[in-house]
Amino acid sequence: AQQPPDSCQTLCDCLEAAKTVKCVDGNLTAVPPDLPPYVRNLFITGNRLARLPAGAFPAQRLPDLSALNLSGNHLRAVEAGALAALPALRQLDLSGNPLVSLSPLAFGEGGSPLEELALRGALRDHGVLLSLATMLQSGVLRNLSRLELADNGLLLLPAGMFTALPALRQLDLSNNSLVGLRNVSFQGLGQLQSLDLSDNSLGVLRNGTLAQFRSLPALRHISLGRNAWVCDCAIEDLVAWLKESDQVEGKEALTCAYPDKMLGKALLKINSSDLNCSVPVDLPSQLQTSYVFLGIVLALIGAIFLLVLYLNRKGIKKWMHNIRDACRDHMEGYHYRYEINADPRLTNLSSNSDV
């Protein structure tokens, strides 16, 4: 008798020979509960899962699942333990999901065999970025060799985000809005081979970052194209590194974005004379110069004041005489009253006259 079709055949395209199951654009709201145990490659894309709860994948029911693609599912939450029961999982793609919650315990606490993680366009929420950093720093993904964080509008990365990824070989940070790497540590990434920083807003790379790049023995492919390089004195270290390093791909095409007079100039063709960097003056000399300038200003003000006095000397002299006469009349009035009050006879006379 013919067996009734199971839900895998109803909701998905199940290919046992290829050990692949595809549940694409089917308006699914949850992971199908009875996926076949032979599956190695599982595509659940273009659906409406909304959340991935704990136990979304039946414990130990999918022993061979190696590649899991959950991109474009409108996923907003990946909860603790949602991906913990997949002992063979090597590749996970969560790209294109508007995540607002990503549990640092999504893979459980015991560690995951995951080697490739794609989060392209899934980290628009800053809280999710911090949760991812916590997850990575916990060491649960120590086997990760490829991490894709492109297209997320990232301005800055959490400090120490990559410190517990000793097996990482490829890191993709392209097409973000990174303005600097000052708080980013690449120390410990001894296996890192490829770093993509293209299509960002980097204006300069500081000496500390360049020193880290030099210290990574396997790093031979750095992409820096389409950034907003600011060609002022601060870029001298970067230019010197570019000229000596063989780590940067297509470095000949890197050009200045600012200032206007340097727009389009190749970074490799910049010389110190182009930047017009003068030797900085030490602080005591600056203070001495300020004091001299202040003295000159005060002397000028004093000279102007004396000149005004000289030009108005007649008016000032007349004004002084008027003040002196007024003061003298005032004092004579006080003196007259004092004499009347001091002489008893004048006092009695003044009293009688009042009567």
Side-chain angles (χ1 to χ4, degrees), residues 12-295:
C12 308
D13 186 9
C14 302
L15 308 171
E16 185 171 0
K19 301 188 183 304
T20 298
V21 173
K22 297 181 179 180
C23 310
V24 179
D25 300 330
N27 285 326
L28 296 178
T29 58
V31 176
D34 54 355
L35 292 167
Y38 63 73
V39 63
R40 290 184 182 174
N41 307 299
L42 176 58
F43 296 82
I44 304 178
T45 63
N47 294 286
R48 296 188 173 276
L49 298 188
R51 56 188 283 267
L52 207 60
F57 297 93
Q60 308 306 321
R61 284 276 307 278
L62 302 171
D64 297 326
L65 181 58
S66 174
L68 175 59
N69 190 328
L70 295 172
S71 61
N73 279 307
H74 298 84
L75 268 175
R76 294 178 62 81
V78 179
E79 300 176 6
L83 300 162
L86 299 171
L89 189 63
R90 298 292 187 272
Q91 301 172 351
L92 174 63
D93 192 343
L94 289 169
S95 299
N97 287 297
L99 295 176
V100 294
S101 174
L102 174 63
S103 171
L105 298 175
F107 293 92
E109 299 180 9
S112 168
L114 194 69
E115 296 176 358
E116 299 184 17
L117 176 59
L119 290 161
R120 181 180 289 269
L123 302 176
R124 299 284 176 173
D125 184 275
H126 186 66
V128 174
L129 175 64
L130 297 179
S131 296
L132 174 65
T134 301
M135 178 192 294
L136 296 178
Q137 290 169 324
S138 72
V140 71
L141 297 180
R142 292 185 66 83
N143 296 306
L144 206 63
S145 64
R146 183 173 183 271
L147 179 59
E148 185 177 347
L149 304 177
D151 301 336
N152 283 305
L154 304 177
L155 288 171
L156 295 170
L157 295 173
M161 185 173 180
F162 308 122
T163 52
L165 300 174
L168 195 66
R169 288 184 169 85
Q170 296 177 322
L171 178 57
D172 186 354
L173 292 166
S174 64
N175 199 27
N176 282 293
S177 300
L178 295 173
V179 295
L181 300 174
R182 196 170 259 184
N183 65 329
V184 181
S185 175
F186 298 99
Q187 298 294 346
L189 302 182
Q191 303 296 319
L192 189 64
Q193 299 174 359
S194 172
L195 175 61
D196 194 343
L197 292 165
S198 60
D199 290 291
N200 275 283
S201 300
L202 297 172
V204 70
L205 294 179
R206 305 284 178 179
N207 242 340
T209 301
L210 301 177
Q212 291 186 57
F213 289 165
R214 291 190 187 98
S215 70
L216 298 177
L219 185 56
R220 284 293 172 265
H221 304 284
I222 303 177
S223 299
L224 297 173
R226 297 175 298 280
N227 277 283
W229 302 114
V230 179
C231 295
D232 57 14
C233 295
I235 207 167
E236 282 188 306
D237 294 331
L238 173 58
V239 170
W241 173 71
L242 286 174
K243 290 179 178 179
E244 71 177 29
S245 174
D246 59 354
Q247 295 175 290
V248 182
E249 296 179 331
K251 60 183 180 180
E252 295 80 10
L254 301 181
T255 58
C256 303
Y258 305 98
D260 289 341
K261 66 176 183 178
M262 299 288 282
L263 180 63
K265 186 176 182 66
L267 265 60
L268 286 178
K269 295 183 179 179
I270 292 178
N271 298 311
S272 297
S273 57
D274 297 323
L275 302 176
N276 193 26
C277 298
S278 58
V279 179
V281 184
D282 60 354
L283 186 59
S285 299
Q286 290 179 339
L287 290 175
Q288 186 176 7
T289 303
S290 300
Y291 288 142
V292 170
F293 180 72
L294 180 61

Side-chain angles (χ1 to χ4, degrees), residues 335-353:
H335 185 65
Y336 176 72
R337 289 192 176 189
Y338 175 75
E339 288 181 346
I340 292 177
N341 293 333
D343 192 332
R345 294 172 300 170
L346 295 176
T347 302
N348 293 334
L349 181 61
S350 176
S351 299
N352 294 332
S353 65

